Structure formats: C-alpha cells, structure tokens
C-alpha cells in the first residue's frame, strides 16, 4: 500500500503535479500545490477555510495559529510539504455551532473580541495550552500566550476567559482543581477592585 502510494505520488510529480495528503479537522484531504506553499494559503485559498487569518506572514503575530498533531504552529511559515500525512486542526475543527468548545464558550461569555482579527489564533493557542496544562496559572497563561499579538489589547479578557474555560473543563471532567477555580475567582475579584 505504502509502495503504491509512493509510486502514484512519483507519477504525479513527473506529470508536473505535487499532490500532498493530510488530515484536516478529522477528514483526509489531498491538494495539488507547489511544495513550498505555506499551509495558511492552502487552508484559506485552496480549501476555503477562512477562519485562520493572515497577519504578519513572518511567524511573529500568531494570527495564523493552527494545530499540527495537537501542537500550535504558525501556518504562515510552514510549507505544505512538511505537513504530509500529518494532522492539522483549524478553528473550524475545534467546536460546532451546537457544541462550542469551552474556550469558545468562555470567549462569548467574557465578550473577549474587539475587532476580532486575532481571535482565531488566540483560541487555537489557548486550546493547545489547556490540552498541555489543564490548570494553568495566570502567569503560565501570560507566558504561553505571549506570542499571540492583539492590536486591540484585549489581553486581560483573553486571560480571564482561559481561566474560566480551564475551570469549566475541570468541572466537566470531574477533576476539579480548587486552586485553578480559585485563581479564576481571585481574578474576578481583582477586576472588580480595579474597575
Ligand atoms: S500571520 Fe503567521 S504569525 Fe503572523
Ligand atoms: S481583537 Fe482586534 S486584534 Fe485582537
């Protein structure tokens, strides 16, 4: 099977085509693009999923963040040839209208977005953080999210929403961490005192 796929791919390359297959939001996809095409272009222009945004195009702002095998990456600076047979998740793949991801739900409840442009990348980084560390402290959130730039400066709301989503996920999983939930409550209190 593997040999057949290799031969088929070789044949397509000889015809001037370069077909790359990978998993996108749980489904197998194949694209015929130049191997150095950035993943962001393939996701947005070739496959039509426009939730992932173009910001700097240089790996600096985080607007284009997606997951590669569960890890957050900058899709603007990742060539499609490096993605072959791997798993990509975009903002369209982490929840649905009828079943939002807890991070998305917290984003709505805390009215996080202002212009909204950076939010897809922010949410993808936040969901990756909570997969790696279900009980992040405020400092850990600030450190992990530091590469996602928001020109509207909505950082305090982003941090609060991540703490809320973490507390929500813990109660969903019945592994409640008093420290994390109290961190969220302390954050609420601090906001009230300073507002
Ligand atoms: S657009 Fe990719 S990091 Fe800015
Ligand atoms: S909400 Fe406007 S750039 Fe972040």
């Amino acid at each position: 099977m593997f040999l057949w796929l290799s031969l088929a791919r070789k044949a397509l390359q000889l015809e001037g085509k370069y077909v790359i297959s990978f998993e996108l939001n749980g489904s197998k996809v194949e694209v015929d693009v130049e191997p150095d095409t950035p993943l962001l272009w393939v996701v947005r222009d070739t496959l039509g999923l426009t939730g992932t945004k173009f910001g700097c195009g240089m790996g600096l702002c985080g607007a284009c963040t997606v997951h590669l095998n569960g890890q957050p990456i900058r899709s603007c600076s990742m060539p499609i040839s490096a993605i072959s047979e791997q798993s990509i998740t975009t903002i369209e793949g982490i929840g649905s209208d009828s079943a939002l991801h807890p991070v998305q739900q917290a984003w709505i409840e805390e009215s996080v977005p202002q212009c909204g442009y950076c939010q897809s990348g922010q949410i993808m980084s936040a969901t990756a953080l909570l997969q790696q560390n279900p009980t992040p402290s405020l400092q850990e959130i600030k450190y992990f999210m530091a590469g996602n730039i928001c020109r509207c400066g909505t950082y305090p709301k982003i941090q609060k929403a991540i703490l809320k989503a973490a507390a929500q996920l813990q109660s969903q999983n019945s592994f409640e961490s008093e420290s994390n939930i109290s961190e969220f409550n302390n954050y609420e209190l601090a906001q009230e005192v300073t507002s």
Side-chain angles (χ1 to χ4, degrees), residues 112-119 122 149-154 158:
V112 175
Q114 291 188 40
C115 81
Y117 198 81
C118 72
Q119 298 298 307
Q122 302 277 5
I149 308 302
C150 175
R151 66 184 175 183
C152 301
T154 186
I158 288 170

Side-chain angles (χ1 to χ4, degrees), residues 40 53-65 74-77:
L40 177 60
K53 303 303 183 196
F54 173 84
C56 63
M58 300 170 67
L60 300 173
C61 74
C64 65
T65 303
R74 306 304 193 226
S75 61
C76 69
S77 43

Side-chain angles (χ1 to χ4, degrees), residues 2-132:
F2 181 75
L3 179 64
W4 184 88
L5 281 172
S6 299
L7 290 172
R9 192 162 290 125
K10 199 77 174 167
L12 286 166
Q13 284 172 15
L14 288 174
E15 282 177 24
K17 295 182 175 180
Y18 195 96
V19 176
I20 294 176
S21 63
F22 60 101
E23 190 179 287
L24 179 66
N25 298 331
S27 299
K28 200 84 171 173
V29 294
E30 279 195 344
V31 291
D32 173 11
V33 292
E34 292 297 320
D36 59 352
T37 308
L39 173 62
L40 177 60
W41 270 244
V42 174
V43 166
R44 285 182 56 87
D45 296 347
T46 309
L47 298 169
L49 297 185
T50 54
T52 308
K53 303 303 183 196
F54 173 84
C56 63
M58 300 170 67
L60 300 173
C61 74
C64 65
T65 303
V66 299
H67 296 177
L68 169 61
N69 303 327
Q71 298 299 318
I73 60 158
R74 306 304 193 226
S75 61
C76 69
S77 43
M78 178 65 69
I80 191 65
S81 55
I83 299 300
S84 182
E85 307 304 334
Q86 301 193 72
S87 174
I88 294 295
T89 306
T90 66
I91 188 71
E92 289 88 352
I94 66 159
S96 64
D97 288 347
S98 56
L100 292 177
H101 188 285
V103 170
Q104 294 172 309
Q105 188 62 43
W107 242 246
I108 293 170
E109 289 171 9
E110 298 301 328
S111 302
V112 175
Q114 291 188 40
C115 81
Y117 198 81
C118 72
Q119 298 298 307
S120 164
Q122 302 277 5
I123 290 173
M124 294 311 289
S125 287
T127 52
L129 165 63
L130 295 182
Q131 277 167 18
Q132 294 173 24

Side-chain angles (χ1 to χ4, degrees), residues 164-186:
K164 186 173 198 174
Q168 176 65 28
L169 280 164
Q170 287 159 55
S171 59
Q172 266 182 15
N173 294 334
S174 303
F175 291 120
E176 293 196 20
S177 159
E178 292 302 328
S179 64
N180 190 258
I181 291 172
S182 74
E183 177 114 37
F184 173 66
N185 290 336
N186 290 342

